[in-house]
Amino acid sequence: MSVEIELRLDNDYGSLGQSTRSFLDSSHGFHIGGKQVRAASTYALQDPSTGQVFAHAGQARMLDVADAVSAAKKALGGAWSRYRPHQREACLLRLADLLEQHARPLSEIETVCSGRLLQNTLHVDVHYSAHVLRYMAGWATKLSGRTTPLSVPYVPDGELDGFTFREAVGVVAAIVPWNVALGIAIWKIAPALAAGCTIVLKPAPQTPLTALYLAQLALEAGLPEGVLNVVTGSEPEVGVALVRDPDVDMVSFTGSTEVGRQIALDAAGAFKRFSLELGGKSPVIIAQDADLSRAIPQAAWAIFANHGQNCCAGSRLYAHARVFDEVVDGISAIAESITLGAPLDSQSAMGPLVNRAHSQRVLAYVQEGIREGASLRTGGQGLDHPGAYVRPTVLAGVSPQMRVVREEVFGPVLVAASFENDAQAVSLANDSEFGLGASIWSRDLDRVRYMTRKLQAGSVWVNTHNTLDVSLPFGGWKSSGMGHDLSEEAVLAHTRLKSSVHHYLQTDTTDLT
Ligand code: NAD
């Protein structure tokens, strides 16, 4: 059954707010040391809904990257180091307020760059980001060390106290992808600032503009010049130069496993701290006792939200043989009811993928799966339109060795297979190089407990999927990453421990006067 397309597929720029339009029309360079720096050359940004060029962004050279890192290093030893914890907290709280005050331009710019729905960029990149900033703001005043009375045997005289201090790790290179560009930038920036670090942010080539807008808001929020710098560019060399700059102390990366591996090698070789949030191929397990009235629509949402461009998209479905047909038919029917349309249009339920090259790659995975014997239940096509649209797709009867099952497709493509018992479900789910998220749909507590313990994933959701709370650590196992975003863990990761020993020879404190 084909989807009836009634909505317009091209973004209507007439619907954009005045501040969005003037920002898009302005020339974009870099944000270094609190100033807007002109770019010597630029590259074109294309609207994913049409392929048309709508703006240009700065192409950073090695010199620009070095300038940004040196501004961050200077700021680390400058006014920022004298900000007390409550002043860092106040900056983050003001930034959260400013994000919400600028919700319209931020979400519209993100939508035009990425093709993501306006309601999605508004909620995820703006409102959820403000929530993350407020949570992280609180940590600025709560970082502390410990005091321990010591008993070093080879220091017999006097008394010893031991202290630990948590100090900011230093200059952080934050390198982020396009799929939730502003939101993930905030995940990186907020804990780094709470800990007292300074930052060079490098957004993805497709989505550079909200990072530049954010940098302006950060100044307004009271962050001193050079605390948050932004460099942009279309080539991997910009990220490589940033990772390799000797004055970068930590790399905080979200992106593909392939690039993450390269960054790990570079950073480890220079003994830099690094945190990697990488790709996924997350399983959704629907047991025979699941409440299908919830599991079916939620499994559809797990894969089709954000057009399947989610790191923890529920892209592999395993349903018990007894309910398999009902589940796959239900998800396929939902897929067919999803209206594709321009991302700025509030009626659209799914917009284009990030660009035409990506949509072609996604469709090639589907075709290969079909050639290898998968059965196409719905979708599997683009639209006769220059936008990067891909119809929501369901492939059933897949086997574990198919590429479409093993590799991250990063589009609205669900692969489905059945299982006979819990052990087989877990074994199918764990048969992956990735380990980001997994969900279990069941009403049986024993089954839930068994699977929760056995699944190899950084996040296991029960009767929900991709539910991320800022107070819980989020990070991948296996090829899905190292380290964590969100929660206290993310703040601690931006600190380094120093221990200090104080030796007191005068032990009687009663007659010190
Ligand atoms: P990508 O790895 O191609 O790029 C990510 C960023 O790294 C971009 O800013 C890019 O310019 C930069 N980069 C590219 N090559 C580099 C290099 N050699 N050194 C340093 N930087 C380099 O990823 P993408 O296509 O932008 O995003 C999609 C990927 O991100 C998917 O794999 C997705 O699963 C992953 N992702 C993971 C999470 C998570 O939290 N685990 C969240 C969102 C996205």
Side-chain angles (χ1 to χ4, degrees), residues 23-31 37-47 53-61 64 109 113 202-213 230-235 238:
F23 186 83
L24 290 178
D25 291 344
S26 59
S27 71
H28 305 291
F30 317 116
H31 188 100
V37 174
R38 262 178 66 86
S41 63
T42 61
Y43 67 97
L45 298 176
Q46 291 174 322
D47 181 332
V53 173
F54 66 92
H56 288 81
Q59 189 76 269
R61 302 157 300 172
D64 301 308
I109 295 164
C113 288
K202 199 210 81 64
Q206 302 86 341
T207 50
L209 300 186
T210 45
L212 294 164
Y213 199 114
V230 179
V231 286
T232 63
S234 63
E235 302 302 326
V238 182

Side-chain angles (χ1 to χ4, degrees), residues 175-179 184 202-205 236 239-240 253-256 259 263 277-279 311 408 410 436 474:
I175 303 179
V176 297
W178 46 262
N179 68 313
I184 293 174
K202 199 210 81 64
V240 174
F253 173 77
T254 295
S256 61
V259 173
I263 288 176
E277 299 293 339
L278 309 177
C311 52
E408 183 183 45
F410 222 54
L436 194 55
F474 175 69

Side-chain angles (χ1 to χ4, degrees), residues 243-388:
V243 170
R244 292 187 181 166
D245 191 299
D247 285 329
V248 163
D249 301 293
M250 172 173 173
V251 183
S252 178
F253 173 77
T254 295
S256 61
T257 295
E258 186 192 350
V259 173
R261 189 169 286 121
Q262 187 54 51
I263 288 176
L265 290 171
D266 278 346
F271 301 109
K272 292 180 186 191
R273 186 87 61 99
F274 59 90
S275 161
L276 306 171
E277 299 293 339
L278 309 177
K281 190 80 187 177
S282 300
V284 172
I285 300 174
I286 301 188
Q288 59 275 39
D289 66 295
D291 174 355
L292 296 187
S293 70
R294 286 186 58 217
I296 290 173
Q298 290 292 307
W301 180 85
I303 179 62
F304 298 134
N306 212 28
H307 326 163
Q309 303 169 129
N310 271 335
C311 52
C312 35
S315 50
R316 289 184 294 144
L317 172 79
Y318 299 111
H320 189 274
R322 226 180 288 152
V323 295
F324 182 79
D325 287 339
E326 185 178 350
V327 169
V328 170
D329 289 349
I331 295 174
S332 301
I334 292 170
E336 286 163 7
S337 71
I338 291 174
T339 318
L340 297 176
L344 283 175
D345 188 333
S346 61
Q347 302 294 309
S348 304
M350 188 183 281
L353 304 194
V354 72
N355 56 37
R356 197 71 183 183
H358 186 51
S359 63
Q360 295 305 317
R361 180 178 166 271
V362 167
L363 289 169
Y365 267 112
V366 176
Q367 287 312 314
E368 189 174 338
I370 294 169
R371 273 200 305 279
E372 287 179 321
S375 111
L376 180 69
R377 294 299 179 93
T378 189
Q381 292 171 332
L383 298 180
D384 187 16
H385 183 271

